[in-house]
Amino acid sequence: DQQVKQNSPSLSVQEGRISILNCDYTNSMFDYFLWYKKYPAEGPTFLISISSIKDKNEDGRFTVFLNKSAKHLSLHIVPSQPGDSAVYFCAASDIDSGGGADGLTFGKGTHLIIQP
Amino acid sequence: DSGVTQTPKHLITATGQRVTLRCSPRSGDLSVYWYQQSLDQGLQFLIQYYNGEERAKGNILERFSAQQFPDLHSELNLSSLELGDSALYFCASSAYHRAYNEQFFGPGTRLTVL
């Protein structure tokens, strides 16, 4: 049973335009969400996070939006650059699991391709 | 560079064998997490250690075990290996035992079981 879902295995966007990556979750106990970026032959790299007390968090070109009622989050990249081409993973955590949190629950990733 | 190191980068072994994967966390991080990434399952959390003690278990098989040493490096031991254990194994570290702090991942160890 997949608790974090990224329904688009791949997404192609033109350079300079906005990239929107989506993620849905089913576990209502999740209250902290993260996005990671992964290049081939490397480990995932942390990009941006958001806790459930917020609905938006920005860091430079990256903005994450959280809609708790819909159990949906999205990552916006504006403007998209060629170096953004990578696999993006959505991850979630329950920080109030009592005495320490489990590891992150990851989606299966979306391969973002930025076209020149 | 995340500051998390993993050795070896690649490991090829046969079914039934035992291997040890090693991880050194970022300087100052007390928590170490192990993840398995296989083609069909994505990134799956295996186990977490905090300051030498096991804190949380995920989808870790009984054939697998881990430990964290006083210098905070960690080892993941995989025994009685099966073909299905072939995967990328990532180690991550964070400053605290609660996952509120983002985890920083190493480059991974690619395990191939023949």
Side-chain angles (χ1 to χ4, degrees):
Chain A
D1 176 31
Q2 236 188 311
Q3 298 186 68
V4 177
K5 296 178 188 176
Q6 294 177 257
N7 292 321
S8 300
S10 67
L11 175 67
S12 186
V13 174
Q14 264 197 312
E15 183 179 355
R17 308 294 288 263
I18 182 171
S19 294
I20 300 176
L21 296 102
N22 293 304
C23 177
D24 297 293
Y25 62 96
T26 57
N27 188 342
S28 57
M29 298 300 291
F30 287 147
D31 48 14
Y32 188 63
F33 304 89
L34 308 90
W35 284 93
Y36 282 83
K37 173 180 177 178
K38 187 181 181 303
Y39 294 118
E42 293 184 14
T45 301
F46 170 74
L47 265 181
I48 192 168
S49 62
I50 188 167
S51 77
S52 58
I53 59 173
K54 293 184 172 183
D55 55 16
K56 178 182 171 181
N57 189 26
E58 278 182 85
D59 184 1
R61 296 186 299 115
F62 301 93
T63 303
V64 57
F65 295 92
L66 175 62
N67 182 334
K68 277 187 67 179
S69 60
K71 293 194 180 70
H72 177 83
L73 63 155
S74 61
L75 174 68
H76 293 210
I77 307 173
V78 184
S80 301
Q81 298 174 355
D84 296 330
S85 294
V87 177
Y88 288 78
F89 291 97
C90 171
S93 173
D94 166 16
I95 67 170
D96 289 323
S97 58
D102 290 349
L104 300 172
T105 301
F106 280 85
K108 291 198 174 180
T110 296
H111 186 193
L112 177 64
I113 301 158
I114 305 301
Q115 295 183 331
Chain B
D1 185 357
S2 67
V4 179
T5 60
Q6 289 186 249
T7 56
K9 260 185 118 68
H10 302 277
L11 201 45
I12 301 175
T13 188
T15 55
Q17 295 297 306
R18 173 190 165 95
V19 297
T20 297
L21 313 183
R22 184 188 166 106
C23 166
S24 292
R26 291 187 320 158
S27 176
D29 283 357
L30 299 180
S31 262
V32 169
Y33 306 77
W34 285 98
Y35 291 84
Q36 178 193 59
Q37 185 183 24
S38 54
L39 275 172
D40 55 342
Q41 292 295 322
L43 268 159
Q44 299 262 310
F45 167 65
L46 296 178
I47 196 164
Q48 177 202 1
Y49 276 80
Y50 173 72
N51 203 20
E53 291 190 8
E54 182 186 304
R55 292 298 300 207
K57 266 186 172 177
N59 299 319
I60 189 165
L61 299 171
E62 284 192 16
R63 300 183 286 109
F64 296 0
S65 64
Q67 51 186 325
Q68 187 179 26
F69 295 86
D71 67 353
L72 300 176
H73 91 269
S74 178
E75 292 181 357
L76 179 67
N77 302 297
L78 316 176
S79 60
S80 303
L81 284 167
E82 301 175 359
L83 294 177
D85 298 327
S86 295
L88 266 169
Y89 291 84
F90 288 105
C91 165
S93 74
S94 70
Y96 305 106
H97 67 275
R98 299 181 72 83
Y100 191 83
N101 295 282
E102 57 267 18
Q103 296 174 22
F104 295 87
F105 283 76
T109 293
R110 181 173 292 281
L111 173 67
T112 303
V113 182
L114 300 174

